[in-house]
Amino acid sequence: MLLSTTNGGWYRAGLLLALCCSLFAASPRCVAQNLVPNPSFELKDTCPYTIGFQEGDKPLFWEKWNQSPEYFNACVPGTGMDSLVGVPLNGFGFQHALEGGAYIGMYTYGSVGLNQPFREYVGCQLLEPLEVGETYNLSFYTNVAFGGSYWAPTWACNNMGMLFTMQPNVWTDTDQPEFGLRNHAHLHSTTVISDTANWTLVSGSFVADSAYQYLVLGNFFSDGLTDTLHIIPGNSLGAYYFMDGVCVTRAGQGCSFTSGIADQVPLAGRTWPNPVADMLHVRVDEGTQWQVYDASGRLVHDGVCSGDLLTIPVREWPLGEYVLRLKDKGVKHVRFVVMR
């Protein structure tokens, strides 16, 4: 089925797909339906050109629900203001997309004054309302921003999560409805996510108690209920997180993405030492293609693995951060630091 690139067309197509699945339950195309439109943020009207989820500057079917989150995409030329929303290097951090070339970002912890918590939220309308009493699997990937070209968020926090609502809370230039802290989420990370290199999976399930129609992403808890970690010495710009690969499916179903995101295998514990001074070692599958990029996104070295252990000599490399990209059945990234 070719889905329309207009908002209403996408929603109608999603409802039609849901109807087809109910009528033809045996169809393999109905095994797993992700109820989140544009879940990996690849679909867009145009390349993002500035910060703040401006009109024509955000992924299709997603809106800002509070303050000014960002949309990042590898399509930007990387010069001028749009360089702040590029991939992998942008104003907030250096991070490749989970798969494809796009993701979103938002401040999830900070303040604009005494006792005034600052939160940014991104929301969308689900392809179909949730069914009361039905169990749903929820998941997303997130990564704390680090190594940006302009800003330097200094904190990591917990409570990154997903919340369902009955009504939207879309912000425009003329209408900015308040979205108060709930101190509740249908899914959230109970531990502080401080990994600046790899995408971290947050997942769980819940039984729908209402026919929720909307999904919003962010931290919905007060500062007093949010645990933090100061990961970078310096000023207190708060915690900023990237998000990608959002999924809502009925229990027992896997997850599919518009951009075909494959299952991600965490690299934690498979790459050592990090930081590295001499030789970097990585556990891989034979035939894996690999590339190393420096902090500016330039290719430093590449090759194809002939065994299950990749060894990369870095003793002559300039000090700093690098990203290793591995491609076998899927695409994985890990950041490492050359330090002596």
Side-chain angles (χ1 to χ4, degrees):
M1 176 189 297
L2 179 62
L3 298 183
S4 170
T5 57
T6 63
N7 197 3
W10 177 285
Y11 189 72
R12 288 190 297 272
L15 294 179
L16 179 58
L17 177 59
L19 177 60
C20 290
C21 286
S22 65
L23 294 177
F24 304 101
S27 171
R29 294 179 64 113
C30 301
V31 171
Q33 183 196 4
N34 188 352
L35 300 182
V36 180
N38 196 10
S40 55
F41 311 106
E42 300 296 325
L43 303 178
K44 61 188 183 304
D45 281 328
T46 60
C47 284
Y49 56 86
T50 188
I51 59 174
F53 253 54
Q54 307 300 323
E55 191 62 37
D57 185 43
K58 54 184 181 289
L60 292 178
F61 320 116
W62 291 89
E63 304 285 350
K64 58 182 176 182
W65 279 33
N66 201 62
Q67 301 300 336
S68 54
E70 274 72 45
Y71 176 43
F72 304 97
N73 199 297
C75 64
V76 302
T79 58
M81 182 62 73
D82 58 6
S83 66
L84 299 178
V85 289
V87 171
L89 180 64
N90 53 64
F92 294 89
F94 183 91
Q95 181 61 48
H96 288 273
L98 177 69
E99 180 77 1
Y103 47 82
I104 60 171
M106 67 196 78
Y107 273 104
T108 60
Y109 174 80
S111 64
V112 293
L114 184 63
N115 298 322
Q116 296 183 23
F118 184 83
R119 303 286 189 270
E120 293 179 328
Y121 299 128
V122 177
C124 71
Q125 184 174 11
L126 298 171
L127 294 179
E128 65 180 41
L130 301 188
E131 182 179 336
V132 176
E134 184 76 19
T135 301
Y136 290 87
N137 294 332
L138 317 176
S139 65
F140 63 87
Y141 288 84
T142 189
N143 173 263
V144 63
F146 177 76
S149 63
Y150 193 84
W151 296 280
T154 56
W155 294 85
C157 69
N158 66 342
N159 290 334
M160 287 296 297
M162 303 168 62
L163 177 72
F164 296 99
T165 69
M166 297 296 293
Q167 302 294 331
N169 197 79
V170 177
W171 273 37
T172 66
D173 291 339
T174 58
D175 186 21
Q176 299 176 352
E178 181 181 358
F179 193 87
L181 296 173
R182 269 60 170 173
N183 289 330
H184 161 76
H186 293 97
L187 171 68
H188 70 285
S189 61
T190 57
T191 60
V192 174
I193 297 175
S194 59
D195 193 336
T196 63
N198 305 298
W199 289 100
T200 297
L201 173 65
V202 179
S203 61
S205 62
F206 91 114
V207 178
D209 57 358
S210 297
Y212 297 113
Q213 299 185 50
Y214 298 91
L215 170 68
V216 56
L217 308 174
N219 173 14
F220 309 100
F221 293 80
S222 66
D223 287 355
L225 295 176
T226 298
D227 296 330
T228 59
L229 174 67
H230 202 183
I231 59 175
I232 306 171
N235 56 16
S236 55
L237 287 181
Y240 192 96
Y241 280 79
F242 301 130
M243 297 185 76
D244 203 353
V246 185
C247 185
V248 176
T249 60
R250 292 176 183 267
Q253 298 182 352
C255 197
S256 61
F257 296 91
T258 301
S259 56
I261 293 177
D263 291 338
Q264 302 296 302
V265 179
L267 293 178
R270 300 181 65 191
T271 304
W272 74 95
N274 191 5
V276 56
D278 185 26
M279 305 290 285
L280 182 72
H281 306 284
V282 189
R283 286 292 180 190
V284 295
D285 293 327
E286 185 174 0
T288 296
Q289 302 175 34
W290 62 274
Q291 298 89 33
V292 175
Y293 298 87
D294 64 17
S296 65
R298 293 175 298 187
L299 180 65
V300 176
H301 206 350
D302 63 351
V304 178
C305 301
S306 58
D308 62 1
L309 179 63
L310 170 63
T311 301
I312 306 175
V314 301
R315 66 178 67 92
E316 302 297 329
W317 292 14
L319 305 183
E321 290 187 318
Y322 296 83
V323 171
L324 172 65
R325 181 178 189 268
L326 301 173
K327 182 178 182 181
D328 43 32
K329 297 179 181 178
V331 177
K332 317 173 192 71
H333 299 93
V334 64
R335 179 179 296 167
F336 64 93
V337 177
V338 175
M339 182 181 300
R340 301 180 188 90

